[in-house]
Amino acid sequence: MKQLNLGETAIKVSAVALGIMRMVRLNPADAANILATVHEQGVNFIDGADIYGNGQSETTFGTALKQSGLSRDDFFIQSKGGIVLDPQKSSGELVFGQRYDFSKQHLIATVDGILKRMQIDYLDSFLLHRPDPLMDLDEVAAAFDELQAAGKVRHFGVSNFNPMQVAMLQANLDQKLIINQLQFGVMHTEPIQFGLHTNMQDTASLNHDGEIIEYSRLHHMTIQAWSPYQYGMFAGTFIDNPKFPALNAKLQALADHYGVTKNAIATAWILRHPAKMQVILGSMNPQHLTESIAGADVTLTKQEWVDVYFAAGNDLP
């Protein structure tokens, strides 16, 4: 399995991570099989969040880790917090936020709940799960200091923050933010598309996110690409989707060339970017995971990468 350094640390993590949002669907035995499957293929990174399955995904993970025969040290375990669920709308896997809360009290309580559900003593990393417009920088700093001093969290990061939000928060912290989790993939290319269309007046030139990829590279933050096979915001997968015939034809041609699947090529496309991103896989199907993980061992040429970009409906000015 291809590995990368997390941020500018010396920590080596797998280029592909397992996201456990959908682990709420599984019983502990099946979840343990998932952990064993990905571990055998070199995946050593787990990504969770306190809201996934309204906490049940983390509970299932904790039990599954015990049953799998694997140890706590076999994985770099990450979770996220800061979203307060709406109890009237959230149930099962589908959850809805009521508000964001980055208060010291809420963040510390959130981490305590995560550790209890996962049955572990510390998180390798904890991310703020989307920016809170009422974020008090001093409260976040105090929470991070206390969590680190207590040995409950070793590293920190953010999720879906733009460059100025990251810079503002970082200026008030003693800890280095080493991760930003963003949606990125073959059918979510806006973070690079607008840069290609600099000095143009077309729709592709619109800058929705700030120069977040460039900022992350300059400041040595690892971008974790979530929903790598989705188009839109959880609209569905583009793999084998009849809405995208040209893209699927190109993915299949490359899959045939490299002896892998279309999922693997979609994984390889993200990993080919020089930002050294990490891909978060959310499937709970062992075969799908195995197929997608195989992309970490495929290195696309520059022309192949651009050909996929074109097939997804993009262009060059």
Side-chain angles (χ1 to χ4, degrees), residues 2 4 15-16 182-189 192 213 223-230 238 251 263-281 295-296 298 300 305 308:
K2 178 181 179 181
L4 51 86
V16 172
L182 304 167
Q183 187 175 13
F184 182 75
V186 172
M187 286 298 296
H188 197 91
T189 57
I192 57 174
I213 291 182
I223 293 173
Q224 295 176 334
W226 57 268
S227 290
Y229 314 128
Q230 297 279 324
F238 56 80
L251 292 174
N263 279 57
I265 298 300
T267 299
W269 188 87
I270 298 171
L271 296 179
R272 181 63 177 81
H273 194 281
K276 298 179 181 178
M277 301 181 192
Q278 187 181 38
V279 178
I280 300 177
L281 304 179
V298 173
L300 299 177
W305 188 92
V308 172

Side-chain angles (χ1 to χ4, degrees), residues 159-227:
S159 176
N160 304 292
F161 275 49
N162 67 37
M164 191 55 71
Q165 290 166 335
V166 176
M168 179 180 67
L169 178 59
Q170 183 64 79
N172 210 59
L173 296 174
D174 290 330
Q175 300 81 9
K176 176 73 167 67
L177 297 171
I178 64 171
I179 295 164
N180 195 358
Q181 208 171 91
L182 304 167
Q183 187 175 13
F184 182 75
V186 172
M187 286 298 296
H188 197 91
T189 57
E190 287 80 359
I192 57 174
Q193 182 175 284
F194 85 92
L196 286 167
H197 286 254
T198 295
N199 203 33
M200 305 292 289
Q201 295 182 331
D202 54 359
T203 301
S205 69
L206 296 177
N207 183 348
H208 295 281
D209 312 299
E211 294 77 14
I212 189 59
I213 291 182
E214 292 81 358
Y215 179 93
S216 299
R217 293 179 72 181
L218 279 170
H219 294 273
H220 307 288
M221 296 181 72
T222 295
I223 293 173
Q224 295 176 334
W226 57 268
S227 290

Side-chain angles (χ1 to χ4, degrees), residues 23-86:
M23 196 165 274
V24 65
R25 299 176 179 178
L26 306 182
N27 61 50
D30 288 338
N33 181 52
I34 290 291
L35 296 180
T37 296
V38 299
H39 182 262
E40 287 171 2
Q41 296 171 73
V43 174
N44 68 353
F45 198 106
I46 301 295
D47 173 67
D50 64 330
I51 66 169
Y52 290 166
N54 204 3
Q56 186 57 46
S57 289
E58 292 182 328
T59 299
T60 301
F61 168 82
T63 304
L65 182 61
K66 301 288 186 184
Q67 293 186 6
S68 69
L70 298 167
S71 74
R72 166 66 182 83
D73 295 336
D74 285 320
F75 293 106
F76 186 105
I77 301 177
Q78 169 178 286
S79 192
K80 304 180 288 291
I83 299 177
V84 178
L85 294 182
D86 186 340

Side-chain angles (χ1 to χ4, degrees), residues 1 16-17 41 43 228-229 239 260-268 271 279-283 285-298:
M1 162 65 68
V16 172
Q41 296 171 73
V43 174
Y229 314 128
I239 303 291
V260 293
T261 64
K262 287 186 276 191
N263 279 57
I265 298 300
T267 299
L271 296 179
V279 178
I280 300 177
L281 304 179
S283 176
N285 181 305
Q287 180 180 344
H288 289 169
L289 286 169
T290 298
E291 292 173 352
S292 299
I293 290 168
D297 295 321
V298 173

Side-chain angles (χ1 to χ4, degrees), residues 233-254:
M233 181 72 171
F234 297 118
T237 180
F238 56 80
I239 303 291
D240 293 328
N241 191 321
K243 292 181 180 179
F244 310 107
L247 174 58
N248 276 281
K250 176 53 65 177
L251 292 174
Q252 188 62 62
L254 290 171

